[in-house]
């Protein structure tokens, strides 16, 4: 991958997504009512995400998901809490905890390879992959939104306070490898 | 102009293009494709360095990374010490010199860029020689993701240095064809100038790619100079070849003494003659090819000295045809010359001893070959066991590892045909995981070679002085360390039996080359000296890195602004625009104060403090760690983690809390609010946020997994703005018209949700200053709007932004400790005067048992107190020690305590400090002394609360 191709990776920030941290027992009784609210069952395969009518559902752990919905989706959290009750499970608004960067272009996986140990080859990380890993020196949640070799799109969720660092790092890689 | 020892038209260098360079102050010409060593040899320069201990002239021994002596200092384009002339690719304008032993680091910062890349593959092949190329080809044709790394600028490995043909093609041409096929495949990556320098757990391999070093002054600025490849491979084939072993004999270090294979490489690869009149000293067959190739190129080979009595017939015939004298059963017993060898001395040798008279033979080149050591370093890094092969005098890999195979010369294969055959099937998985169809490549045709005659293992030639009583001559084992056979014998004489101990005693194998040419020989000499079996002695351990790697390369991009992540809050741009001085708190940048133009920090802090105590001020408190604790058992969990009772908190209320470790020492403090019946939000100190969340998760997950609680970090979710001062209520009322801010409706230690400046906010009435204060929390992206609105609403009151320094002064005036500044992990809540925050009702909590330890009940424990220096303008340095007397007694001076925080107070009109002092509370009213550099200063011990002890200001 040439520096030129890396420089042509489009990097856009998608701010203010509604983000909810969802914790529940996927085998428990609240699983079905939650699926009804979301329009899909929560993914239980490790390191995956799934698109649902109401939100993107990111598997973060055996009992932990991050839900991504459009900005100002204010009714989702109350609906989920209602669906979970009276069983044990929690919903936390973390919309401002992380921001999202989308990287698009054939060079996007190669760009991230300069600081990320995850194998982003479509054979290893197809569309639907969601991993929590390190990019350079900051933790990120990395989603493969589209693995098409000609125009792959990757999404990085990063803690808001680390976003300027990550932006500088991405710029440093794009400016020369 | 053709250099005197360059053969026109020979070699793989571009003789049509000249490259000017300078060495030791003289100008020379070389060509693209040269190394510094080959260019110097083409110009007849053999002496390039000076031995570190004995200052003897040193030359070029090899043609690669095994080089033990030709170390050079690069001066331009950028100073770099201790590089091997045999691995420095030549470029125009290179300025180098041969230092005496040590090099010189640049004093200026390295302007180059360094990079790192992660890569993944099914098959990693290390080495693009005959074996490696076939292994890569087999894997690639099978559709595997293949990475092939090779340390040379062009593929071929040993084929570059011999005249061997493969499939009827010259070796380098065949190799280039294979690489062309590989490079055309989508999932194959071929990395040249790349050295795999370490194999680590889980089949992780690090490799260094030298990307612009060979371009010299023309290196493009946007391209990294070097890149570390972080390779993860399902399977690895190590096809790293073999290094020729030198022979050890008296005066074996003179310039002009060279490995036989190296001379052959200089001839075929670089078109360079390494001398005019050569002597070849060998113990095996491979040197004969060098002798005949050199004669065919016009060199006179005065003699082949073969330590074996039985000389290979086919080679004897080849020599006879060329008129080369063979001295069978003889060894070289010494050399003459100073700047360059002029003469070699030989004598008959049998049964480990010299027999008969010495004969001299004139020469300007002495080629040596003592057999071949497989380059099994990566295999050894992966914990592969080596075994000794007595026929070769070499340590060979013992079988495959689960995901790693060794192939070709590295696997002990001696001929090209054997190496190709070994490489062709090396990509196949080991038997246990073998697929139904073996992965292999067809083995190309090679030319016939004479049958091998067994080599003779000869670790060192005896010094004739041992028998004829002459002056002993040094026999060098490690040329870079100037360590000799005598040094090894001194080690064994001192009782050392382990090769690892001998290595450290003699320093053999500890130089830049890590004993590539000396390590096995040293083992052999130790074995001979002890009468032990070298097979049981073994060799010293191979450790990464295989070749030296610059720290700059390992640092990669993590330098300068990217050295460590800088964390900032959403308000950072405002702080920067308003002249904030920043302080590093963990990875955070926090405004320390906001000095006005021309204002000193001290004056700025006094001004900010005054505003907070007399008017209104605000700060960015967003860096505080925040954890949402939810679930039916949330209160129970917090009761176990905090020293005080949390579960009795009512929704809508807030409480200060202290956490201790199991040792009863203060770990952290903060506030807890109860958001709802089953939901709490707690804060931690800025630097402890991650640690406290981990601490809580550890207890929850490993000790109390039955508690129905979840923990969620929301540190970055909230922007937190403390609004502080007597006028804060009026300012808040102005921006939150729907909120009843009256003290009765919104009392101290409660919180309310309200709309502030049109933004949904959570407001807590908590105070870290003793003043009336509100902590306004909004979602991160609303932070700037909130901040601007508060500034605007506060303008009539002279609202003043303040930083961490003012925060520290305000809290210290009130005697509030900062965990980590006023504590150091040996301080209990009781020591801090926080005994009121330790529950006596709770059956248990972390740290409780430790409070009853005798040590924690001692009356002379250090306790937090206030200090007022007698001189009200003296600000004691933090860390200053406190003693009992005005005169410093003779050491050891009894230390009673130390200053933990020290400030200038606007409210008190003087300086003050907090300190941890033995039995401090009993000493209130006493005078202690702070011995400083310029004198001893009396200080009065006071209660830690120095301002508004009655708490009258809290409610405005």
């Amino acid at each position: 991958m040439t520096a030129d191709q890396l420089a042509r990776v489009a990097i856009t920030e998608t701010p203010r997504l509604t983000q909810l941290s969802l914790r529940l027992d996927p085998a428990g009784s609240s699983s079905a009512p939650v699926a009804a609210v979301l329009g899909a069952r929560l993914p239980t395969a490790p390191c995956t995400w799934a698109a649902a009518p109401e939100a993107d559902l990111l598997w973060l752990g055996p009992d932990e998901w991050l839900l991504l919905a459009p900005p100002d989706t204010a009714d989702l959290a109350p609906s989920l809490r209602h669906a979970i009750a009276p069983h044990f499970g929690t919903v936390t608004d973390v919309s401002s905890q992380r921001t999202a960067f989308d990287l698009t272009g054939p060079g996007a996986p190669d760009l991230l390879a300069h600081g990320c140990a995850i194998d982003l080859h479509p054979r290893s990380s197809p569309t639907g992959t969601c991993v929590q890993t390190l990019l350079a020196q900051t933790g990120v949640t990395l989603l493969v939104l589209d693995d098409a070799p000609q125009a792959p799109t990757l999404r990085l969720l990063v803690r808001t306070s680390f976003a300027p660092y990550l932006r500088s790092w991405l710029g440093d890689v794009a400016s020369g490898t | 102009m053709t250099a005197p020892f360059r053969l026109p038209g020979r070699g793989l260098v571009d003789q049509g293009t000249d490259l000017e360079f300078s060495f030791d102050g003289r100008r020379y010409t070389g060509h693209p494709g040269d190394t510094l060593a080959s260019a110097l040899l083409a110009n007849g320069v053999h002496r390039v360095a000076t031995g570190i201990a004995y200052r003897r002239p040193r030359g070029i021994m090899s043609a690669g990374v095994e080089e033990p002596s030709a170390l050079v200092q690069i001066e331009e384009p950028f100073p770099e010490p201790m590089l091997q002339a045999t691995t420095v690719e030549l470029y125009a304008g290179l300025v180098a010199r041969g230092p005496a032993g040590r090099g010189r680091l640049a004093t200026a910062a390295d302007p180059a860029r360094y990079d790192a890349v992660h890569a993944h593959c099914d098959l990693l092949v290390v080495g693009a020689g005959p074996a490696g190329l076939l292994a890569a080809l087999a894997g690639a044709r099978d559709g595997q993701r293949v990475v092939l790394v090779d340390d040379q600028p062009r593929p071929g490995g040993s084929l570059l240095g011999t005249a061997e043909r493969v499939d009827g093609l010259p070796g380098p041409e065949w190799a280039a064809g294979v690489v062309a096929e590989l490079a055309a495949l989508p999932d194959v990556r071929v990395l040249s100038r790349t050295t795999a320098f370490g194999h680590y757990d889980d089949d992780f391999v690090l490799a260094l790619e030298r990307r612009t070093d060979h371009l010299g002054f023309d290196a493009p600025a946007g391209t990294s100079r070097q890149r570390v490849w972080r390779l993860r491979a399902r399977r690895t084939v190590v096809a790293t070849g073999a290094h020729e072993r030198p022979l050890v004999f008296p005066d074996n270090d003179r310039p002009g003494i060279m490995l036989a294979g190296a001379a052959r490489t200089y001839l075929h690869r670089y078109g360079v003659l390494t001398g005019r009149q050569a002597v070849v000293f060998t113990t095996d067959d491979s040197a004969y090819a060098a002798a005949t190739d050199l004669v065919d190129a016009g060199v006179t080979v005065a003699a082949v000295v073969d330590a074996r009595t039985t000389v290979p017939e086919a080679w004897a015939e080849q020599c006879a045809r060329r008129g080369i004298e063979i001295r069978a059963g003889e060894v070289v017993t010494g050399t003459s010359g100073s700047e360059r060898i002029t003469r070699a001395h030989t004598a008959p040798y049998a049964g480990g001893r010299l027999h008969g008279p010495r004969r001299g033979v004139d020469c300007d080149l002495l080629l040596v070959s003592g057999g071949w050591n497989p380059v099994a370093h990566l295999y050894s890094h992966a914990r592969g066991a080596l075994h000794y092969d007595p026929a070769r005098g070499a340590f060979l890999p013992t079988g495959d590892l689960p995901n790693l195979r060794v192939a070709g010369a590295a696997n002990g294969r001696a001929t090209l045909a054997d190496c190709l055959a070994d490489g062709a099937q090396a990509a196949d998985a080991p038997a246990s995981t073998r697929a139904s169809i073996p992965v292999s490549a067809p083995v190309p045709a090679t030319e016939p070679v004479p049958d091998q005659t067994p080599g003779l293992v000869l670790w060192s030639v005896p010094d004739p002085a041992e028998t004829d009583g002459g002056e002993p001559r040094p026999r060098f084992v490690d040329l870079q360390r100037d360590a000799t056979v005598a040094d090894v014998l001194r080690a064994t004489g001192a009782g050392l039996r382990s090769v690892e101990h001998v290595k450290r005693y003699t320093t053999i194998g500890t130089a830049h080359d890590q004993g590539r040419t000396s390590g096995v020989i040293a083992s052999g000499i130790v074995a001979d000296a002890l009468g032990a079996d070298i097979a049981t002695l073994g060799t010293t351990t191979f450790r990464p890195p295989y070749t030296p790697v610059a720290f700059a390369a390992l640092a990669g991009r993590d330098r300068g602004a990217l050295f460590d992540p800088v964390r900032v809050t959403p308000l950072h741009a405002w702080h920067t625009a308003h002249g904030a001085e920043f302080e590093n708190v963990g990875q955070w940048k926090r405004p320390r104060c906001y000095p006005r133009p021309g204002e000193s920090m001290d004056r700025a802090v006094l001004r900010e403090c005054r505003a907070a105590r007399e008017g209104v001020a605000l700060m960015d408190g967003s860096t505080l760690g925040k954890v949402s604790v939810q679930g039916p058992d949330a209160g129970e969990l917090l009761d176990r983690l905090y020293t005080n009772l949390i579960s009795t908190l009512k929704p809508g209320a807030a409480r200060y809390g202290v956490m201790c470790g199991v040792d009863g020492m203060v770990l952290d403090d903060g506030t807890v609010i109860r958001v709802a019946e089953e939901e709490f939000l707690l804060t931690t100190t800025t630097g402890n946020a991650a640690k406290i969340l981990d601490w809580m998760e550890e207890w929850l997950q490993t000790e109390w997994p039955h508690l129905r609680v979840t923990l969620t970090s929301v540190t970055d979710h909230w922007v937190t703005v403390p609004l502080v001062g007597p006028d804060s209520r009026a300012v808040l009322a102005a921006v939150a018209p729907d909120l009843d801010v009256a003290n009765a409706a919104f009392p101290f230690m409660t919180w309310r949700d309200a709309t502030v400046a049109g933004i949904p906010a959570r407001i807590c009435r908590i105070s870290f200053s003793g003043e009336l204060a509100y902590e306004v929390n909004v979602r991160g992206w609303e932070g700037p709007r909130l901040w601007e609105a508060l500034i605007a609403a506060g303008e009539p009151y002279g609202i003043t932004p303040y930083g961490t320094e003012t925060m520290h002064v305000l809290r210290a005036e009130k005697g509030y400790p900062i965990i980590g500044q006023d504590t150091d992990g040996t301080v209990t809540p009781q020591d801090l005067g926080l005994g009121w925050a330790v529950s006596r009702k709770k059956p248990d909590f972390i740290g409780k048992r430790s409070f009853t330890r005798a040590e924690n009940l001692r009356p002379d424990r250090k306790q937090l107190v206030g200090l007022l220096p007698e001189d009200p303008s003296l600000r004691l340095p933090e860390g200053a020690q406190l003693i009992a007397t005005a005169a410093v007694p003779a050491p050891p001076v009894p230390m009673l305590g130390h200053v933990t925080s020290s400030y200038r107070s606007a409210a008190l009109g003087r300086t003050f400090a907090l300190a941890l002092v033995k039995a401090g509370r009993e000493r209130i009213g006493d005078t202690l002394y702070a011995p400083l550099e310029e004198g001893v200063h009396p200080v009065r011990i006071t209660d830690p609360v120095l301002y508004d002890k009655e708490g009258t200001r809290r409610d405005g």
Side-chain angles (χ1 to χ4, degrees):
Chain A
M1 194 60 51
T2 66
D4 186 45
Q5 281 168 301
L6 292 183
R8 279 190 283 120
V9 173
I11 302 173
T12 52
E13 185 173 356
T14 308
R16 304 194 183 194
L17 288 171
T18 298
Q19 302 180 45
L20 301 176
S21 169
L22 174 64
R23 301 285 304 270
L24 56 78
D25 175 3
S29 313
S30 54
S31 181
V34 163
V37 169
L38 296 170
R41 295 197 76 87
L42 291 163
T44 51
C47 301
T48 62
W49 71 274
E54 299 303 318
D56 289 344
L57 318 175
L58 284 56
W59 183 97
L60 299 188
D63 65 350
E64 182 176 4
W65 292 263
L66 185 66
L67 313 187
L68 303 186
D72 302 318
T73 311
D75 52 346
L76 186 56
S79 307
L80 286 169
R81 286 196 189 101
H82 182 74
I84 290 169
H87 306 289
F88 172 51
T90 62
V91 178
T92 312
D93 179 14
V94 289
S95 301
S96 214
Q97 175 83 348
R98 301 179 185 86
T99 188
F101 290 99
D102 291 346
L103 283 70
T104 307
D110 284 332
L111 193 157
L112 295 191
H114 290 270
C116 178
I118 298 294
D119 183 1
L120 295 174
H121 191 286
R123 251 186 253 171
S124 295
S125 299
T127 303
T129 298
C130 170
V131 292
Q132 297 155 86
T133 183
L134 271 180
L135 178 57
Q137 297 182 67
T138 182
V140 293
T141 301
L142 191 164
L143 286 73
V144 180
L145 299 186
D146 188 346
D147 67 3
Q150 292 318 304
T153 301
L154 305 169
R155 169 166 286 183
L156 299 173
L157 296 171
V158 62
R159 292 275 287 261
T160 315
S161 57
F162 283 97
Y165 165 79
L166 186 63
R167 215 179 278 124
S168 307
W169 185 88
L170 289 168
D172 192 63
V173 175
S175 75
T177 55
Chain B
M1 190 195 80
T2 303
F5 289 85
R6 182 86 66 181
L7 295 172
R10 289 289 296 265
L12 305 172
V13 298
D14 172 14
Q15 295 200 22
T17 305
D18 285 352
L19 300 176
E20 305 285 330
F21 70 101
S22 151
F23 185 77
D24 275 348
R26 294 189 59 182
R27 303 195 65 78
Y28 300 101
T29 303
H31 305 293
D34 262 328
T35 61
L36 176 58
S38 70
L40 288 169
L41 291 170
N43 287 281
V45 179
H46 274 255
R47 188 211 168 138
V48 296
T50 303
I52 189 168
Y54 306 118
R55 305 276 141 171
R56 289 164 66 102
R58 287 286 160 76
I60 297 162
M61 168 71 75
S62 75
V65 295
E66 67 272 38
E67 178 59 38
S69 66
L71 287 194
V72 296
Q73 165 83 36
I74 304 293
E75 298 290 3
E76 293 178 29
F78 189 78
E80 196 170 4
M82 310 289 276
L83 296 183
Q84 294 159 308
T86 51
T87 62
V88 173
E89 287 187 54
L90 193 70
Y91 45 83
L94 172 70
V95 176
R97 54 190 185 83
R102 292 188 179 84
R104 176 179 76 82
L105 282 169
T107 49
D110 183 351
R113 179 188 281 269
Y114 295 86
D115 188 32
V117 180
H118 295 264
H120 306 258
C121 57
D122 300 311
L123 177 67
L124 167 66
V125 179
V126 183
L133 285 172
L134 281 192
L137 196 59
R141 285 178 177 169
D142 186 46
Q144 299 181 18
R145 294 166 69 190
V146 176
V147 174
L148 170 63
V149 303
D150 184 77
D151 69 345
Q152 293 298 307
R154 59 194 303 163
S158 63
L159 296 172
L160 301 174
T162 66
E164 291 164 300
R165 299 176 80 86
V166 182
D167 262 350
L169 297 171
E173 207 174 298
W174 173 81
V178 173
V179 165
E181 178 180 343
L182 289 171
L185 294 168
D187 280 330
V188 177
R189 199 192 300 263
V190 180
L191 299 170
S192 60
R193 296 189 173 94
T194 304
T195 305
F197 63 80
H199 183 289
Y200 303 86
D201 287 353
D202 302 320
D203 299 294
F204 180 50
V205 172
L206 291 181
L208 182 75
E209 181 185 9
R210 293 165 296 278
R211 308 183 70 222
T212 67
D213 285 320
H214 62 290
L215 300 175
F217 290 88
D218 297 330
T223 304
S224 59
R225 178 183 173 227
Q226 296 178 348
R227 171 185 284 169
V228 173
W229 286 87
R230 306 173 68 84
L231 302 161
R232 288 168 180 86
R234 289 187 198 282
R235 277 174 306 109
T236 301
V237 171
V238 174
T240 41
H243 288 145
E244 198 167 17
R245 227 172 20 235
L247 285 160
V248 175
F249 49 86
D251 290 317
N252 61 333
D253 65 328
R254 298 193 198 283
I257 299 175
M258 182 180 288
L259 292 167
R264 204 174 170 210
T265 296
Y266 284 116
L267 170 64
H268 294 299
R269 179 168 174 183
Y270 302 103
V272 170
L273 293 181
T274 41
R276 303 281 185 218
Q277 167 115 351
V279 168
V280 178
F281 176 23
T282 186
T283 61
D284 82 342
D285 288 5
S286 67
Y288 283 90
T292 53
D293 284 1
L294 257 58
V295 170
D296 295 345
V299 176
T300 302
V301 173
V304 172
V305 181
D306 193 329
R308 298 171 295 182
T309 44
T310 311
V311 170
E313 252 174 58
W315 285 115
E317 195 181 302
Q318 296 277 348
C319 288
R321 198 182 303 155
R322 290 169 176 83
I324 304 173
E325 178 199 352
I326 297 180
R327 296 185 181 179
E330 294 204 20
V331 293
V332 171
T333 61
T335 64
S336 304
S338 60
E339 290 293 295
R340 173 96 178 252
I341 186 170
T342 57
R343 198 166 163 81
H345 312 284
T346 73
Y349 170 85
R353 317 177 85 143
L354 303 177
H355 300 278
R358 280 167 49 154
R359 290 189 286 166
V361 51
D362 288 341
C363 61
D364 63 358
L365 180 67
L366 172 57
L367 302 184
V368 295
S369 177
W372 295 80
N373 291 332
V375 180
H377 293 65
L378 294 175
Y379 177 78
S380 292
H381 296 173
R383 295 280 185 268
L386 302 177
H387 70 277
Y388 182 69
D389 177 354
R392 294 161 210 261
F395 288 86
L396 305 183
T398 310
D400 299 333
L401 300 176
N403 300 312
L404 184 144
R405 281 189 159 193
V406 188
N411 199 23
R413 301 292 185 269
T415 65
L416 175 58
D418 286 352
C419 287
L420 288 165
D422 200 27
Q425 51 75 44
D428 200 21
S432 56
T433 59
R434 188 184 294 275
S436 52
I437 305 161
V439 177
S440 65
V443 182
T446 50
E447 297 155 311
V449 291
D451 287 344
Q452 299 275 305
T453 308
L456 176 81
V457 177
L458 174 58
W459 300 122
S460 67
V461 173
D463 188 342
E466 290 168 11
T467 41
D468 65 18
E471 178 76 11
R473 303 298 306 169
R475 290 174 289 166
F476 288 95
V477 180
D478 186 330
L479 269 67
Q480 187 51 222
R481 289 288 186 239
D482 263 353
T484 65
V485 173
D487 294 324
V488 178
L489 297 180
R490 196 170 300 120
T492 55
L496 304 186
R497 292 292 180 273
S498 151
V499 290
E500 296 285 2
H501 294 162
V502 171
K503 169 180 175 172
R504 282 146 187 87
Y505 189 88
T506 60
T507 72
I508 288 172
T510 61
H512 67 285
D513 63 334
Q514 293 286 292
R516 264 189 269 289
T517 54
S518 58
V520 174
I521 292 175
S523 288
I525 296 170
V526 170
D528 283 354
L530 299 176
D533 182 2
I534 184 172
T536 30
L537 276 183
T539 58
T540 52
T541 310
F542 296 111
R543 293 189 183 86
Y546 168 66
T547 50
V549 179
F551 282 115
L554 295 174
R557 283 172 203 282
D558 299 340
R559 345 172 7 178
L562 296 176
F563 174 68
D564 194 37
V566 172
R567 298 179 71 180
V568 297
T569 76
L571 303 174
H572 189 74
W574 192 95
H575 304 322
T576 309
H578 291 79
E581 298 260 356
F582 289 96
E583 175 183 30
N584 293 330
V585 182
Q587 291 175 317
W588 292 95
K589 291 276 179 212
R590 300 196 70 181
R592 192 169 193 190
C593 61
Y594 299 80
R596 290 173 174 167
E599 189 180 43
S600 70
M601 191 176 115
D602 274 359
R603 298 203 68 80
V605 171
L606 288 171
R607 173 176 54 75
E608 292 172 12
C609 286
R610 202 171 294 118
R613 293 254 183 252
E614 296 172 9
V616 61
L618 82 177
M619 86 173 300
D620 182 357
S622 311
T623 62
L624 281 179
K626 305 168 203 80
V627 181
S628 173
V629 184
Q630 299 178 57
D633 298 323
E636 173 65 22
L637 175 70
L638 295 178
D639 277 350
R640 298 183 190 190
L641 292 168
Y642 282 100
T643 59
N644 47 340
L645 203 56
I646 303 293
S647 56
T648 54
L649 199 60
K650 298 274 179 289
R655 189 168 288 170
Y656 172 77
V658 177
M659 282 192 202
C660 286
V662 290
D663 55 4
M665 302 301 158
V666 176
L667 196 65
D668 202 52
D669 70 346
T671 52
V672 183
I673 66 170
R674 189 162 205 162
V675 177
E677 191 55 39
E678 297 188 358
E679 181 178 354
F680 295 81
L681 180 74
L682 62 88
T683 64
T684 75
T685 50
T686 294
N688 270 349
K691 183 175 124 184
I692 294 301
L693 182 59
D694 284 352
W695 171 254
M696 296 173 72
E697 285 283 10
E698 185 180 341
W699 285 98
L700 180 58
Q701 292 182 27
T702 66
E703 300 295 328
W704 308 316
H706 54 281
L707 291 183
R708 292 163 302 161
V709 187
T710 66
L711 305 172
T712 310
S713 169
V714 288
T715 299
D716 291 22
H717 179 66
W718 297 102
V719 153
T720 302
V721 179
L723 183 67
V724 177
D727 292 331
S728 59
R729 181 172 285 138
V731 174
L732 182 63
V735 287
D738 299 336
L739 178 68
D740 186 350
V741 295
N743 192 51
F746 189 0
F748 186 60
M749 294 311 267
T750 64
W751 63 270
R752 301 285 180 266
D753 278 346
T755 300
V756 176
I759 306 163
R762 174 165 297 153
I763 306 144
C764 305
R765 254 205 73 190
I766 55 180
S767 177
F768 197 38
S769 59
E771 298 299 322
L772 172 70
Y774 300 87
E775 190 193 81
V776 188
N777 296 278
V778 297
R779 282 188 300 187
W781 63 69
E782 313 272 27
R785 203 149 62 87
L786 170 76
W787 182 271
E788 296 280 5
L790 291 173
I791 293 270
E795 205 190 346
Y797 305 92
I799 193 166
T800 302
Y802 69 93
T804 52
E805 193 66 17
T806 293
M807 173 189 82
H808 281 197
V809 177
L810 298 175
R811 64 89 200 176
E813 288 168 347
K814 288 291 292 178
Y816 299 152
I818 286 191
I819 308 308
Q821 170 154 347
D822 300 299
T823 69
D824 59 4
T826 67
V827 181
T828 65
Q830 294 84 355
D831 297 337
L832 292 175
L834 297 175
W836 59 268
V838 177
S839 168
R840 282 170 191 82
K841 294 183 204 152
K842 288 196 290 184
D844 201 4
F845 56 87
I846 296 171
K848 181 181 169 88
R849 273 176 293 175
S850 296
F851 294 143
T852 51
R853 286 175 64 224
E855 183 64 26
N856 286 356
L857 296 171
R858 284 165 60 122
D860 63 342
R861 286 187 63 81
K862 284 188 176 179
Q863 295 163 338
L864 187 74
V865 294
L867 290 184
L868 291 174
E870 208 144 279
D871 172 358
S873 66
L874 172 72
R875 183 163 56 186
L876 295 166
E878 288 170 357
Q881 295 288 329
L882 300 170
I883 62 174
T885 53
V888 182
V893 181
M895 301 293 185
L896 298 180
H898 65 278
V899 175
T900 57
S901 296
S902 178
Y903 309 100
R904 210 175 288 285
S905 166
L908 305 176
R910 56 161 300 135
T911 59
F912 73 104
L914 296 177
L916 287 170
V917 173
K918 283 184 185 168
R921 284 197 283 273
E922 274 177 32
R923 293 180 196 269
I924 288 174
D926 292 359
T927 296
L928 293 181
Y929 298 87
L932 303 178
E933 228 170 315
E934 73 282 1
V936 180
H937 298 272
V939 296
R940 191 156 50 84
I941 308 283
T942 71
D943 187 273
V945 185
L946 287 160
Y947 183 74
D948 185 29
K949 200 167 166 54
E950 301 73 29
T952 57
R953 308 188 58 82
R954 192 188 77 186
D955 296 329

